[in-house]
Amino acid sequence: MSSLAATVEGIGFWNDGLPSWPQARAFAHGAPAAADAPRRPAPQLLAPNERRRAPESVAVALDVALAACEAAGRDPASLPSVFASTHGDLAITDYICGTLASAPRTLSPTKFHNSVHNAAAGYWTIGSGCMRTTTAISAYDASFAQALVESLVQLASGEDAVLLAAYDSPSSGALSPVSRSEGLLGGALVLSRRAHGTRLRATLVDGDAPAASGPLARHAHGNAMAQMLPLFDALAAGGDVALLRAGPGRVLRVELAHETQAHDAPAREAQA
Amino acid sequence: MPSLAIRRYTATTALGRGRAVQARALRERAGGLRSNDFGDGALASERLDCWIGRVDGLEDAPLPAEFARWDCRNNRLAWLALQQDGMAEAVAALRERYGAARVALVIGTSTSSIGATEEAYTQLDDGAFPAAMVRSNIHTPHSLGGFVQAATGLRGPCVTVATACSSSAKVFAQAARLIQAGVVDAALVGGVDTLCGSVLFGFNALGLVSAQPCRPFDARRDGLSLGEAGGFAIVERDDAGDAALRLCGYGESSDAHHMSTPHPQGLGAQFAMRDALARAGIGADAVGYLNLHGTATPANDAIEAQAVGALFPDTLHASSTKGWTGHTLGAAGIVESVFALIALEDGVLPGILNSAERDAACGAQIRFDNAQRDIAYAMNNSFGFGGNNCSLVFGKAA
């Protein structure tokens, strides 16, 4: 296929001990993880009571999405968005299946509407007042690669910029050994057609992605969205290629051309 | 946007298997809802007093042995739908023509095969799944996309879209973008959702399930009837411009209002419809039939009718077909796109089943009776939880 391309305008990140992209990038360069980091993100887009009640998957998705928009100097309400999660909220799936097996009529209506795969996408558009399109996808261990392709295809179809947010939350209960996921992990990118900044070029090819070995990939390896970390490791450490699983026998090859901070800063100011 | 060819499509619903059965049932106003008889164990002992659109025969139709690890109700329905109307053969031909990597698979679902996960939870052995249910490939949303990928041998981008009840409308939009960007030449799109405890008791918990067969846009409507369905369509480049049926436009938007209640003025719905018409390059007066989301919940129908009234002339024939099939959730987009395509091909414009008393809040566009006439464009609305909206415009060669 022909390549798809974009500029990375902003990055958001959250993982246990690495509650921001600057901290994740420092960790990738050898700094220790934060011992006193919050155990759960507090997404500022939600009202305080909703912030506490929101499922963990929603909390991490909204936190990294907003961080990426802020880093890009983009108004969240202006961006179409793509949300990707391998499993959705596994704790809610565990609750629903357990409740149905014992007392189905007691099922919580709030847990039910929070169980939809597009819960994070929904709360994002509600919290940011965004009426643009949003989608929620899964492609198992290729979820991130397929979401990146959809984001780039939206740019190719005429969008000026698009928000991509990927996340998974810890598994729970009887489902844990079957649908494995540990810790909380989220990553977000604001991608655009702007010329200046770190450029990303993606191509789907045949093959199998090698096991990831970067610092972030090792740190969050137990999470189902660890599949995205080859790209975040490359973004953090200045790597020029990331190979992402894109389905059976398929790889999304992502090439990066980093631009220096000096070029980056004025472009962001101009945008803001 | 340049219109895309739709050279094959199919649906399997409570009405039966394949296009011809759907078309006949629509023409003859013969619905497929039945009194709830779904489920075993706690689902049966606590069975809800409601009506459902159930697909017959899934219990006795396991997947072929080579796909045994994908076996579950939802994938059985996917397989069954794929065997109708020559769809499997058409996909094989597409694979040959363009190459497997040049054909995308974009498929929608709301709950995928969570029914299998529910089942495993009723059979826990000392807190653990029984061995036969330890199949990580089915206890996850991409069970559907993963299975259809294995069943078709397609190697292009493969995605399960899960935006609740707009899922399998949005697959057309995503496929159109993939083709437009040159990533692929064609796409197999579709959607499959099956009845399960989550949706029956979930919608019941929200107070949205009627005890009667659903009555879309009726003044006395009091909730939805749930259904299950599967369907597929092939979307292709139309370089020669000779396709009889076409995807002409799509529109997508968000309500930015509430997780399970639509925007009070239907603003998001209006944006999606306007966007779809603009992409198709047609005015609202060119649309001959609009298949509404029309769930038969009090809120959805009044708001959707208001949004339609703000955009379309009184001459539009608009209806909800959920009285035939029930609300098939993540499959509603593909099923009702198939109904829109049938309206284009056969000139059968469905009315509404079960409804008799007009709601003063709903405009002249809402039609209870069927009509028969030749139309040039048909639209489909699909709206989901999270305020996720999608509208599609289909057309045919003049």
Side-chain angles (χ1 to χ4, degrees):
Chain A
M1 72 174 227
S2 51
S3 294
L4 297 163
T7 292
V8 181
E9 282 193 13
I11 304 174
F13 192 88
W14 206 98
N15 184 221
D16 306 292
L18 303 175
S20 72
W21 178 240
Q23 281 161 292
R25 199 167 47 189
F27 178 79
H29 285 100
D36 56 351
R39 291 189 48 234
R40 167 194 160 104
Q44 300 304 307
L45 273 184
L46 297 179
N49 61 331
E50 283 188 342
R51 207 176 294 161
R52 283 190 302 275
R53 284 192 314 214
E56 279 193 316
S57 59
V58 170
V60 75
L62 267 57
D63 185 86
V64 296
L66 184 61
C69 290
E70 285 174 346
R74 295 265 184 182
D75 174 4
S78 71
L79 297 176
S81 52
V82 176
F83 285 78
S85 171
T86 310
H87 298 301
D89 198 283
L90 286 163
I92 292 183
T93 306
D94 174 57
Y95 159 80
I96 286 181
C97 292
T99 303
L100 288 171
S102 54
R105 284 182 189 260
T106 67
L107 196 69
S108 150
T110 304
K111 295 258 195 196
F112 174 64
H113 78 204
N114 283 346
S115 75
V116 294
H117 198 68
N118 62 318
Y123 280 108
W124 169 256
T125 53
I126 293 165
S128 65
C130 177
M131 299 193 76
R132 303 296 314 278
T133 180
T134 185
T135 191
I137 69 151
S138 172
Y140 204 59
D141 63 355
S143 298
F144 182 76
Q146 297 293 347
L148 179 54
V149 169
E150 163 66 358
S151 304
L152 296 172
V153 162
Q154 287 194 16
L155 295 178
S157 303
E159 293 291 355
D160 176 48
V162 59
L163 166 69
L164 163 61
Y167 57 94
D168 267 290
S169 56
S171 49
S172 169
L175 197 52
S176 289
V178 184
S179 296
R180 288 178 186 277
S181 186
E182 296 165 10
L184 200 53
L185 174 63
L189 304 172
V190 170
L191 301 168
S192 83
R193 299 199 290 173
R194 221 175 54 196
H196 299 292
T198 295
R199 293 287 292 170
L200 167 162
R201 183 172 298 280
T203 316
L204 282 165
V205 296
D206 282 339
D208 294 297
S213 57
L216 297 175
R218 287 199 306 275
H219 187 259
H221 68 92
N223 185 282
M225 196 41 73
Q227 56 184 279
M228 73 177 175
L229 295 175
L231 177 58
F232 285 81
D233 267 317
L235 286 166
D240 55 7
V241 176
L243 300 174
L244 302 169
R245 289 197 291 270
R250 300 284 282 170
V251 171
L252 186 66
R253 180 185 165 86
V254 184
E255 295 164 66
L256 292 171
H258 298 269
E259 204 172 61
T260 58
Q261 295 288 324
H263 286 97
D264 233 354
R268 279 181 191 165
E269 280 164 20
Q271 187 60 44
Chain B
M1 66 177 234
S3 66
L4 296 165
I6 297 183
R7 295 204 169 86
R8 196 162 301 251
Y9 63 90
T10 187
T12 291
T13 71
L15 301 173
R17 304 174 182 184
R19 182 202 183 278
V21 174
Q22 313 302 317
R24 187 171 63 238
L26 291 172
R27 196 171 55 241
E28 297 176 355
R29 295 179 66 86
L33 299 182
R34 67 173 83 178
S35 182
N36 182 16
D37 60 356
F38 182 79
D40 310 308
L43 299 189
S45 59
E46 301 281 328
R47 186 167 281 146
L48 298 174
D49 180 20
C50 63
W51 292 66
I52 59 171
R54 181 171 180 171
V55 175
D56 283 318
L58 295 176
E59 298 75 15
D60 310 316
L63 294 179
E66 60 187 303
F67 303 122
R69 76 187 196 97
W70 295 102
D71 194 36
C72 59
R73 186 177 186 86
N74 205 61
N75 288 338
R76 287 180 184 194
L77 181 48
W79 178 255
L80 186 65
L82 200 55
Q83 306 313 311
Q84 312 305 318
D85 297 312
M87 184 55 76
E89 295 77 10
V91 174
L94 208 61
R95 207 176 57 215
E96 289 303 308
R97 180 171 172 204
Y98 295 115
R102 294 288 302 175
V103 183
L105 170 56
V106 190
I107 192 155
T109 187
S110 169
T111 52
S112 197
S113 46
I114 198 170
T117 315
E118 294 172 7
E119 192 185 330
Y121 270 71
T122 66
Q123 301 168 6
L124 296 182
D125 182 6
D126 201 16
F129 278 26
M133 295 302 280
V134 181
R135 291 181 272 145
S136 59
N137 56 308
I138 63 167
H139 301 291
T140 191
H142 193 53
S143 170
L144 176 60
F147 166 63
V148 177
Q149 184 178 41
T152 58
L154 296 179
R155 306 189 73 240
C158 172
V159 184
T160 300
V161 177
T163 53
C165 305
S166 60
S167 302
S168 63
K170 286 175 80 78
V171 298
F172 285 92
Q174 188 166 345
R177 284 190 286 269
L178 282 164
I179 295 170
Q180 196 176 348
V183 177
V184 295
D185 299 304
L188 174 62
V189 302
V192 184
D193 243 339
T194 30
L195 290 165
C196 58
S198 298
V199 297
L200 283 162
F201 288 95
F203 279 100
N204 181 64
L206 287 166
L208 295 177
V209 179
S210 175
Q212 301 184 42
C214 67
R215 293 170 289 181
F217 297 95
D218 190 293
R220 301 156 301 166
R221 68 185 180 275
D222 62 357
L224 48 77
S225 301
L226 290 158
E228 59 188 352
F232 294 95
I234 291 174
V235 182
E236 274 179 273
R237 304 165 59 96
D238 184 24
D239 295 337
D242 62 351
L245 293 173
R246 293 170 185 159
L247 172 66
C248 301
Y250 61 83
E252 299 168 285
S253 71
S254 301
D255 275 359
H257 176 68
H258 188 268
M259 276 306 286
S260 53
T261 307
H263 185 281
Q265 282 83 47
L267 209 51
Q270 285 193 44
F271 285 163
M273 289 188 278
R274 284 184 204 281
D275 194 21
L277 290 167
R279 255 196 200 87
I282 61 170
D285 57 352
V287 177
Y289 173 61
L290 170 58
N291 188 299
L292 299 159
H293 191 53
T295 56
T297 62
N300 175 84
D301 291 8
I303 289 166
E304 189 178 12
Q306 187 187 341
V308 167
L311 258 71
F312 291 92
D314 287 356
T315 49
L316 174 71
H317 183 111
S319 75
S320 161
T321 47
K322 288 186 167 69
W324 272 269
T325 60
H327 187 359
T328 62
L329 307 178
I334 185 70
V335 166
E336 292 160 24
S337 293
V338 163
F339 291 178
L341 291 164
I342 289 173
L344 278 173
E345 271 201 304
D346 296 4
V348 176
L349 315 186
I352 298 175
L353 277 193
N354 312 323
S355 298
E357 196 173 309
R358 292 197 65 86
D359 182 342
C362 302
Q365 298 87 1
I366 311 297
R367 306 296 171 90
F368 287 0
D369 296 326
N370 281 21
Q372 177 80 41
R373 66 171 165 272
D374 193 49
I375 59 168
Y377 293 97
M379 272 181 86
N380 176 27
N381 280 350
S382 294
F383 308 142
F385 275 3
N388 199 289
N389 310 304
C390 185
S391 291
L392 301 171
V393 176
F394 300 97
K396 69 176 174 186

